[in-house]
Amino acid sequence: MAMAKKGLSNMAITACYAGPVFNMLVGIGVGFATLLSAEGKHSTPVELSPGLLAGLSFLITNCILLIGFGIFNKNVVPGKYGYACVAIYATYIFVSFILLFGMKD
């Protein structure tokens, strides 16, 4: 908010995306590097849960829509994209609850 109030809205938006992406990439990278060096391996198998796959698919959908909205609106993302984000998020929450409570083994 402080950057946006100073008139640096582009920097504020960039920080909203870059901070979490940096944390995920560095966290996963350091975690796997530590695991692989401790075990003396060059690779390790990873299993993706249905909930993680759902989150990944909604994240990719959001990114594709954001790029599409930007391209088709002359590099400006309109305010109506916020409604699309809310709809995507609501669908994601619904799917997550179905996966969480509907998948009883």
Side-chain angles (χ1 to χ4, degrees), residues 43-103:
S43 65
T44 186
V46 176
E47 183 177 329
L48 300 176
S49 68
L52 187 59
L53 287 174
L56 181 63
S57 64
F58 279 98
L59 178 65
I60 290 171
T61 300
N62 185 33
C63 289
I64 290 170
L65 284 175
L66 180 62
I67 291 169
F69 267 84
I71 289 172
F72 291 117
N73 291 300
K74 299 178 184 173
N75 295 331
V76 174
V77 179
K80 64 184 173 184
Y81 179 70
Y83 295 115
C85 286
V86 170
I88 291 169
Y89 184 68
T91 307
Y92 166 69
I93 294 295
F94 179 74
V95 168
S96 294
F97 275 116
I98 295 295
L99 290 173
L100 182 64
F101 297 115
M103 298 184 69

Side-chain angles (χ1 to χ4, degrees), residues 9-34:
S9 59
N10 285 340
M11 187 180 291
I13 296 291
T14 301
C16 289
Y17 284 100
V21 169
F22 176 80
N23 290 337
M24 285 188 293
L25 293 177
V26 170
I28 290 171
V30 170
F32 271 110
T34 304

